[in-house]
Amino acid sequence: MTTTEVTRAPRVTTPLHPAFSSALPSAAIGTPPLSIDTEFDYDVAIVGLGYVGLPTALAFHHSGNRVLALDNSPQRIATIAERSADVLDDDQQRLIRALDDPGFVLTSDQSLLARAAAVIVCVPTPVDEHLVPDLAILRSACATVVDHATTGQLIVLTSTTYVGCTQDLIIAPLLARGFEAGRDLYVAFSPERIDPGNASVNHDDVPRVVGASTPECERRAEALLRRYASSVHVVHSLAAAEMTKLLENTFRAVNIALANEFADICRALDLPIIEVIDAASTKPYGFMRFMPGPGVGGHCIPCDPHYLLWQLKTKHVEAPMIRQAMTEIAARPSRVVDRARDVLSDAGRGMVGARVLVVGVAYKPNVADLRESPAIEILAGLRDRGATVSYVDDLIPAIRMPGGDWLNAHNDPGSFDAELVIIHTKHDWVDLSWIGDNAAVLDTTYRESTITRRAVL
Ligand SMILES: NC(=O)c1ccc[n+]([C@@H]2O[C@H](COP(=O)([O-])OP(=O)(O)OC[C@H]3O[C@@H](n4cnc5c(N)ncnc54)[C@H](O)[C@@H]3O)[C@@H](O)[C@H]2O)c1
């Protein structure tokens, strides 16, 4: 169904929904199916249909579940209904099938949550301008889920957050309503690990981690996730599951900061960083490849370690290495601006009035996601120093700049007559052959080694 108007999904009249008998997906074979409560019209409700929630809803639907797909943004519902959401091709196919199926209900009607056997929360957990967790969206979503919770329901939080959050925002408020987790209904935390834009790893094949506060909550949450995920790793507390996600993304942040530092060291010593990384990557153990770049963006690396740092501060626990990594990462875009000035200077040009074109402003290849993208700070910094800036990005037609004005994408990069081209993000299909010999090039990806007159960050 494709509108916000919702019709009831057909009620289950058999003890076991057909999805769990004849058409069992391979992921679910051999796992204990949840007993399907005939009181529920939906096997699972997904709250928040963004980069995480929509593919999750589609994965559950694809594996035979009746899905209530809920988002409180009418605009987002319309985008999904129009099949215009930014998803991988496989998910686009799943979406087309789902929208034609009465077993997939797209809605913003929160009251329907009470009719779902399981509810999965996937709403954003950003940080504010002081890098303090902004829990307003998560609090509101959890309050809604708690308000509509019913006996026998399973609630799984998947948004990245601090340790103890599931207890604070779900279990305690449920108790205030008279529901005890593990007795009246069931609660778990399972961090999401999707990598939007990455078609090389199937979302359904990424193992899920799940933890809960009682064995029955754990068992039910594991069974739910096994309906679509090919493997589930159980930890024996909510806190361990919450901390797992913070470790994963802090690990990435620290290693990206280290890769950046090695890139700077290699440039100072006149060494090719990529050749060094390629060589180190041949080691089959003890080394993991991370690439230097212009900074980090998206909803994970720039935010998640700050949830940990914020929590540690309240407990007076020091984490100097993590703090330093986050400081280095945050400073990276302004280093790009400094380096642009140097590259222009080497070409005998000052920054004032220089025509600078940024290639790719999404925070990573193949997604239309501009959240926390270093490109915004880079464009603003260049402009503050007097450059005339523009950008090209097939996926992002316009950017709202920090001052509130809009910058439109340049459709014909060759005609911009750039004196400096900064390669920020290169989507897989992008052809850079228009870059001639006239412009200097600053390659913040370190990957475009065939371009002449190229400097790296
Ligand atoms: N994007 C990623 O790559 C990624 C990867 C792993 C984990 N995560 C984590 O997953 C969580 C969700 O991230 P995302 O990138 O999907 O966010 P997103 O901004 O893409 O989507 C969130 C959706 O939730 C909706 N929403 C907000 N409040 C709601 C409410 N009360 N009820 C219903 N819908 C509501 C919004 O309208 C939006 O469509 C975050 O905690 C993030 O850290 C994200």
Side-chain angles (χ1 to χ4, degrees), residues 46-54 70-73 76 120-128 132-142 157-162 165 169 189 192 245 298-300 303-304 307 369 371-372:
I46 309 295
V47 178
L49 302 175
Y51 280 98
V52 166
L54 180 57
L70 177 91
D71 201 290
N72 68 352
S73 159
R76 181 65 181 164
I120 296 184
V121 181
C122 322
V123 299
T125 44
V127 291
D128 67 16
V132 172
D134 178 355
L135 292 163
I137 300 170
L138 184 61
R139 274 186 208 287
S140 164
C142 289
L157 178 58
T158 68
S159 299
T160 307
T161 187
Y162 66 91
C165 186
L169 299 193
F189 181 85
E192 177 55 60
K245 179 69 185 181
H299 199 14
C300 294
C303 304
D304 300 352
Y307 274 69
D369 195 347
R371 289 176 298 181
E372 315 287 338

Side-chain angles (χ1 to χ4, degrees), residues 59-319:
F60 273 107
H61 178 259
H62 179 72
S63 53
N65 295 276
R66 299 160 303 162
V67 174
L68 180 71
L70 177 91
D71 201 290
N72 68 352
S73 159
Q75 195 183 356
R76 181 65 181 164
I77 294 283
T79 301
I80 296 168
E82 288 159 9
R83 300 160 166 76
S84 307
D86 179 26
V87 290
L88 291 168
D89 290 348
D90 284 356
D91 279 334
Q92 186 65 19
Q93 297 311 313
R94 287 182 177 185
L95 178 60
I96 289 166
R97 287 194 293 274
L99 291 173
D100 282 340
D101 180 2
F104 184 88
V105 173
L106 187 59
T107 185
S108 51
D109 182 353
Q110 298 168 340
S111 70
L112 294 174
L113 286 174
R115 301 198 210 155
V119 177
I120 296 184
V121 181
C122 322
V123 299
T125 44
V127 291
D128 67 16
E129 67 272 27
H130 306 295
L131 303 176
V132 172
D134 178 355
L135 292 163
I137 300 170
L138 184 61
R139 274 186 208 287
S140 164
C142 289
T144 300
V145 169
V146 168
D147 283 349
H148 294 93
T150 60
T151 305
Q153 208 170 45
L154 166 65
I155 299 170
V156 183
L157 178 58
T158 68
S159 299
T160 307
T161 187
Y162 66 91
V163 175
C165 186
T166 316
Q167 173 67 36
D168 293 349
L169 299 193
I170 297 185
I171 293 185
L174 280 172
L175 202 53
R177 276 199 63 202
F179 289 117
E180 186 180 320
R183 187 193 66 187
D184 307 308
L185 43 59
Y186 309 93
V187 178
F189 181 85
S190 175
E192 177 55 60
R193 297 162 139 184
I194 195 169
D195 188 10
N198 182 354
S200 67
V201 182
N202 185 340
H203 178 214
D204 305 2
D205 292 335
V206 178
R208 295 284 319 212
V209 168
V210 68
S213 54
T214 76
E216 188 56 18
C217 292
E218 201 177 280
R219 191 190 74 77
R220 286 177 178 252
E222 180 186 4
L224 174 74
L225 294 168
R226 278 193 191 280
R227 292 184 187 185
Y228 89 84
S230 38
S231 77
V232 179
H233 179 91
V234 178
V235 293
H236 299 302
S237 70
L238 290 160
E242 290 162 338
M243 187 58 121
T244 300
K245 179 69 185 181
L246 295 176
L247 171 60
E248 288 171 11
N249 278 354
T250 303
F251 172 84
R252 288 170 67 197
V254 169
N255 279 285
I256 290 167
L258 182 66
N260 287 342
E261 194 161 294
F262 259 89
D264 295 349
I265 292 168
C266 281
R267 189 163 67 79
L269 301 181
D270 202 17
L271 286 167
I273 177 65
I274 299 305
E275 191 178 2
V276 173
I277 291 175
D278 284 347
S281 301
T282 61
K283 188 176 178 187
Y285 44 83
F287 184 83
M288 187 177 282
R289 182 187 182 87
F290 282 86
M291 289 292 285
V296 293
H299 199 14
C300 294
I301 315 284
C303 304
D304 300 352
H306 288 296
Y307 274 69
L308 181 61
L309 289 171
W310 167 79
Q311 182 163 33
L312 295 181
K313 198 171 172 188
T314 64
K315 298 191 177 312
H316 306 289
V317 175
E318 296 293 328

Side-chain angles (χ1 to χ4, degrees), residues 20 90 111 118 154 175 182 191 211 283 345 378 380 382 398 407 434-435:
F20 299 100
D90 284 356
S111 70
L154 166 65
L175 202 53
K283 188 176 178 187
S345 168
I378 292 167
L382 292 165
L407 192 63
W434 54 267
I435 300 178

